[in-house]
Amino acid sequence: MNLESICTEARGIIKDVGIFLKNEISNIKAENIELKGYNNFVTYVDKTSEQLLTNALGKLLPDSGFIVEEKTTDIKGKEYTWIIDPLDGTTNYIHSVPLFAISIALTKNDKTILGVIYEINLNECFYAFEGGGAFLNDNKISVSKT
C-alpha cells in the first residue's frame, strides 16, 4: 500500500466535500438543526458530508471500515479503519462563522497511519502519513523534537 498516494486521493475527496459544505452554508435554517446533546448540534449537512466521505473513501480502500461521528454507517474493517468527523465545527457552521473543517484519520490495526484536516474557508490542508512527514498545502512542515 502506498500511503502517499492514498493521502493524495483522500485530500482530493475531502476538498470535493468541502465544496459541498461551502455551498450549503447559506441553506441552513433552524428546522435543519438537531440537538444531540448540550451544545452538540447536527444538521443534514453533517450527515450528507459523512455519507459522501464514507462512499468515496470506501472506494479508495475497499476493505476498510469506519468510525463516524454521525453514525451514517456501521461498516467494520478487518485491518484498516477510517475515522471521520465530517464537519468539525458544526456550531460555527450553523452560525455562519467561517471556521470549520473536515477531519479524517486512517488506522491500520488500531495504529494511526494517516491524518488529514481541511480547513475549508482558509483553504488550508494539514496532513501527515506514516513515513512521509507532516505537510501544510503540499509544503513540508519542519517538526523539531524536544
Side-chain angles (χ1 to χ4, degrees):
M1 166 183 298
N2 182 329
L3 281 179
E4 183 173 7
S5 140
I6 289 175
C7 189
T8 299
E9 293 287 330
R11 289 186 354 253
I13 291 165
I14 288 171
K15 287 184 178 186
D16 288 345
V17 175
I19 292 168
F20 165 74
L21 291 176
K22 253 187 140 166
N23 289 339
E24 288 299 309
I25 196 166
S26 61
N27 296 327
I28 293 294
K29 297 178 179 29
E31 60 267 15
N32 304 128
I33 302 167
E34 299 172 41
L35 187 61
K36 294 192 305 184
Y38 183 72
N39 287 334
N40 190 3
F41 304 99
V42 65
T43 70
Y44 75 92
V45 177
D46 297 75
K47 294 174 184 178
T48 302
S49 173
E50 187 170 279
Q51 290 170 334
L52 293 168
L53 290 163
T54 56
N55 289 342
L57 293 170
K59 289 176 186 169
L60 178 60
L61 207 56
D63 291 330
S64 59
F66 298 93
I67 298 173
V68 292
E69 184 176 14
E70 307 310 337
K71 313 288 188 253
T72 60
T73 186
D74 60 359
I75 297 172
K76 303 291 181 218
K78 292 182 179 148
E79 186 175 16
Y80 294 98
T81 301
W82 292 101
I83 302 168
I84 300 173
D85 186 341
L87 177 49
D88 195 357
T90 299
T91 300
N92 285 347
Y93 187 85
I94 63 178
H95 294 292
S96 297
V97 176
L99 294 170
F100 50 87
I102 297 170
S103 303
I104 68 164
L106 177 64
T107 64
K108 178 180 181 183
N109 298 321
D110 296 324
K111 178 185 176 196
T112 304
I113 58 171
L114 179 150
V116 182
I117 299 172
Y118 179 48
E119 203 303 333
I120 295 144
N121 293 287
L122 296 175
N123 194 31
E124 290 183 335
C125 189
F126 299 87
Y127 61 96
F129 53 92
E130 187 174 62
F135 298 83
L136 168 58
N137 294 340
D138 297 326
N139 297 310
K140 193 160 192 168
I141 299 170
S142 176
V143 180
S144 62
K145 295 181 181 179
T146 55

